[in-house]
Amino acid sequence: MLTFIKKNKTSAILISILLVLIFVNRLTREKPETPVETEPVKKQANYQNLTPGTSTKDQTIEKLGNPVKEEGNGTILKFTSSAQGKPHEVLMEENIVFLIIETVTLNDQKTVSDVKKEFGEPKDVLYGPRYTAGFNLYVYPKNGIAYVGQNESDVLLEVWYFPPTTLEDFNMRFAPKYTETPPSQEGLY
């Protein structure tokens, strides 16, 4: 064997390198990965088949009809609702819907329970102008839906539709008048 190595140095070196590579390959071979559990895709809410973040102004008018009023050079469209003097609002950004605020009345027969039935219990609550009357903004940021309602009475005032986001982004972009903590009760009585 020693004689073979002396006569065939190049072959012996190549065989040694090949054996080392095989050994290293076996050591570093990736073990099969265990599948990583991912969060299931959340259902994005939509209003009248209008999806914030993708629906256009033309699609909005096609679905909801002509707005009763346009503001902000066509960036805010207002549509008739069942609440006299309180229309639905559709906010546009570069001709794309980015927020829909549906005004709800008792005549609409839509309740807090209806939203919960479809999206579950809300994990996030924001407190705002109607807090003292017991109405808060309940947010499902990953589903792109929130509602202003009173859970105890099942009364729903508004449903907000927006592109899925985080609570922080939602609060900053869509609900700056709302906070994550209830306002102080001092001076209310």
Side-chain angles (χ1 to χ4, degrees):
M1 173 97 172
L2 215 43
T3 317
F4 174 77
I5 294 174
K6 285 181 184 178
K7 288 184 181 179
N8 300 306
K9 286 183 183 177
T10 307
S11 297
I13 291 172
L14 288 175
I15 292 172
S16 299
I17 291 172
L18 183 64
L19 290 173
V20 169
L21 288 174
I22 291 171
F23 180 72
V24 169
N25 184 33
R26 287 190 183 255
L27 287 178
T28 60
R29 182 179 294 162
E30 289 185 29
K31 295 178 177 108
E33 281 188 31
T34 54
V36 177
E37 286 189 36
T38 57
E39 195 171 313
V41 176
K42 301 286 183 181
K43 176 183 177 189
Q44 181 176 354
N46 68 70
Y47 174 71
Q48 304 288 329
N49 292 320
L50 294 171
T51 305
T54 59
S55 296
T56 65
K57 184 176 183 177
D58 289 340
Q59 291 170 326
T60 302
I61 292 170
E62 182 182 314
K63 298 280 186 191
L64 303 180
N66 289 322
V68 293
K69 189 173 186 181
E70 281 193 40
E71 296 176 355
N73 293 327
T75 59
I76 301 172
L77 308 176
K78 297 190 177 199
F79 295 90
T80 304
S81 76
S82 60
Q84 191 173 14
K86 179 85 170 84
H88 302 303
E89 293 185 18
V90 178
L91 284 69
M92 310 295 294
E93 194 171 77
E94 297 179 15
N95 204 40
I96 301 293
V97 173
F98 81 94
L99 177 65
I100 300 171
I101 299 177
E102 174 190 11
T103 300
V104 180
T105 67
L106 294 175
N107 293 336
D108 295 316
Q109 297 181 0
K110 189 172 187 175
T111 65
V112 167
S113 295
D114 295 328
V115 178
K116 288 180 177 182
K117 190 181 299 176
E118 189 164 353
F119 296 99
E121 287 292 326
K123 293 180 183 160
D124 299 304
V125 181
L126 297 175
Y127 303 91
R130 299 179 183 124
Y131 167 74
T132 55
F135 289 92
N136 299 311
L137 183 58
Y138 298 89
V139 187
Y140 303 80
K142 292 179 182 177
N143 298 104
I145 190 168
Y147 66 86
V148 176
Q150 192 179 61
N151 283 341
E152 297 77 24
S153 65
D154 212 29
V155 173
L156 194 58
L157 298 180
E158 295 175 344
V159 181
W160 299 18
Y161 304 87
F162 51 91
T165 187
T166 63
L167 179 64
E168 293 75 23
D169 183 58
F170 171 83
N171 197 186
M172 185 178 69
R173 288 184 68 201
F174 305 117
K177 294 180 182 177
Y178 289 80
T179 63
E180 292 185 55
T181 54
S184 170
Q185 294 293 313
E186 290 180 29
L188 293 178
Y189 303 103

